[in-house]
Amino acid sequence: MMSETGKPEGESQEIDAAATAAAEDAATAPQSSQWNAGAAYDEAVGDAESAGENPHDARIAALEAENADVKDRLLRLAADMENLRRRTEREIKDARTYAISGFAREMLSVADNLSRALDAVPEEHRADESSGLKALIEGVEMTEKGLLGSLEKQGVRKLEPEGQRFDPNFHQAMFEIPNTEVPNGTVLQVVQAGYAIGDRVLRPAMVGVSKGGPKAAPAEAKTAAAETGAGQ
């Protein structure tokens, strides 16, 4: 049997029922959403009326408290982000400065071997051109100079502690030298050169320090420490 719409009567009834349900859902949805949005406000108003207070004042107070809480959270977040930025910049700077520390320390051993090789050549053979050692010595000296120059370009600096007050942060005492003419604890001899990279010691200088002299004055000790830092 056909309905007025030209479709079978059963199918037409199903379509009408679906359309009616959709219309009812559309009519009730805004009301439900409106009720959910205003539920918190209605509850606050009800509490204020029960307590005999102005509901608008209560709402304003609640909003001000919420605003203060959000502001505090934002300030804390901004402070955390600033600390993170500074820490990241410091870590990047340290990584750039000290990334080659291990490699530079190994190269110092090579420089030491070159220096020992030069020291092992007898003085009488240094100027003897007929033996061929003069050219070899000059080549080794140039190699050592080039190596140290390359390390210096990377921030590695040689420590010059001789004549300065002994500083355990940069020097390693190997022996004591009796001397009453200089303040006690003055570096008189450098056994092995020390090096620093940035603000850190790459290798402490092995030194001999004076013993038996007068104590260094506090001002003199501070000046010597300052000179050590400046020389590095």
Side-chain angles (χ1 to χ4, degrees):
M1 182 177 179
M2 302 295 292
S3 64
E4 295 178 355
T5 59
K7 294 183 179 181
E9 184 176 359
E11 182 178 353
S12 177
Q13 290 177 354
E14 293 177 357
I15 294 175
D16 292 342
T20 301
E24 291 177 352
D25 292 341
T28 58
Q31 295 177 358
S32 176
S33 176
Q34 182 178 2
W35 183 88
N36 291 333
Y41 177 77
D42 293 340
E43 183 178 356
V45 171
D47 294 341
E49 290 178 348
S50 300
E53 299 176 355
N54 188 332
H56 298 290
D57 293 341
R59 180 60 175 170
I60 291 174
L63 290 175
E64 289 178 348
E66 182 179 358
N67 180 60
D69 181 68
V70 172
K71 183 178 180 180
D72 180 70
R73 290 175 181 269
L74 289 176
L75 291 176
R76 292 177 181 272
L77 178 60
D80 291 340
M81 293 302 296
E82 179 64 18
N83 292 335
L84 176 61
R85 183 187 66 81
R86 292 179 179 178
R87 184 168 61 253
T88 302
E89 289 181 351
R90 183 171 60 253
E91 291 176 353
I92 292 175
K93 182 180 178 181
D94 290 345
R96 290 174 178 174
T97 303
Y98 306 113
I100 65 166
S101 295
F103 175 76
R105 192 175 291 108
E106 294 295 331
M107 290 299 99
L108 291 180
S109 299
V110 177
D112 291 339
N113 291 332
L114 292 175
S115 179
R116 294 188 186 100
L118 292 173
D119 294 338
V121 179
E123 189 65 30
E124 59 270 15
H125 293 300
R126 290 180 177 271
D128 188 2
E129 297 182 0
S130 61
S131 63
L133 289 178
K134 184 177 180 180
L136 177 61
I137 293 171
E138 290 178 352
V140 175
E141 288 176 345
M142 292 179 62
T143 302
E144 181 187 21
K145 184 178 180 180
L147 175 60
L148 295 178
S150 298
L151 291 175
E152 187 175 357
K153 291 180 180 179
Q154 300 300 322
V156 178
R157 301 183 304 278
K158 185 177 181 180
L159 302 179
E160 301 290 347
E162 188 170 352
Q164 299 178 359
R165 182 168 178 78
F166 175 78
D167 186 349
N169 296 317
F170 298 96
H171 313 145
Q172 181 177 351
M174 304 301 295
F175 51 87
E176 294 180 331
I177 303 175
N179 191 318
T180 59
E181 298 179 358
V182 296
N184 192 33
T186 301
V187 177
L188 297 180
Q189 183 179 348
V190 179
V191 180
Q192 185 181 62
Y195 293 85
I197 179 171
D199 296 331
R200 302 179 184 177
V201 176
L202 190 62
R203 187 180 72 183
M206 297 183 180
V207 300
V209 298
S210 63
K211 178 184 179 182
K215 292 184 178 180
E220 181 181 350
K222 292 182 180 180
T223 302
E227 292 176 353
T228 301
Q232 296 165 12

